[in-house]
Amino acid sequence: MRIALASDHAAIELKALLAGWLHEQGHEVSDLGPHDGTSVDYPDYGYKLAAAIAAGEAERGIAICGSGIGISIAVNRNPACRAALVSEPLSAQLAREHNDANVIALGARLIGPEMAKACVTAFLSTEFGGDRHQRRVDKLSNPSL
């Protein structure tokens, strides 16, 4: 699977850990930055990740900042993205199954590496449930439905 990751400066270590782990599992990984601890603005990287998803450059995305909140808001500004902030695997699973989330957001200051991996595993291994959920997901990108 093609997976894009982006973060802010508070989350570069978790992003790098997840990128390496995903690569080891055979995924095609795009690290959209940043690549050092210089202070950056999370919206810039959230928008960059959203653009990659919208352009079809990645099938799924992982957005990470200190809390996960700010970067998830930035990603969700793009109508092609459905980003869900998760902190445990059940939320990641339900975000895929019910909401067809194509991006998860993680808070690097709130969860550890093993919980982050568990969330990513649930996110990547769960299929969208379709059926009754489809009309609701359609409304997320088109409120007039």
Side-chain angles (χ1 to χ4, degrees):
M1 186 177 297
R2 291 173 298 136
I3 303 166
L5 293 93
S7 72
D8 69 358
H9 55 278
I12 58 169
E13 290 179 16
L14 181 58
K15 178 176 57 76
L17 181 141
L18 291 174
W21 175 71
L22 288 165
H23 182 73
E24 288 171 5
Q25 292 185 348
H27 296 286
E28 183 181 321
V29 178
S30 296
D31 183 341
L32 303 178
H35 302 289
D36 63 39
T38 304
S39 182
V40 298
D41 297 332
Y42 59 80
D44 296 338
Y45 290 89
Y47 297 150
K48 194 173 187 179
L49 177 61
I53 295 291
E57 296 167 8
E59 298 162 81
R60 303 268 175 89
I62 301 170
I64 317 168
C65 68
S67 68
I69 298 168
I71 202 164
S72 68
I73 292 170
V75 170
N76 278 319
R77 298 284 184 203
N78 188 314
C81 295
R82 291 172 304 282
L85 173 59
V86 303
S87 58
E88 37 67 40
L90 181 58
S91 293
Q93 175 190 333
L94 292 173
R96 283 287 310 133
E97 189 177 329
H98 291 196
N99 309 116
D100 198 18
N102 51 11
V103 177
I104 57 168
L106 303 168
R109 293 179 176 144
L110 304 177
I111 65 173
E114 294 309 310
M115 184 58 73
K117 288 179 184 178
C119 290
V120 171
T121 298
F123 174 64
L124 297 179
S125 65
T126 303
E127 295 296 322
F128 176 49
D131 296 326
R132 72 182 192 277
H133 303 293
Q134 186 63 59
R135 79 172 186 281
R136 298 167 186 147
V137 169
D138 291 343
K139 289 180 180 184
L140 294 174
S141 296
N142 189 352
S144 64
L145 290 179

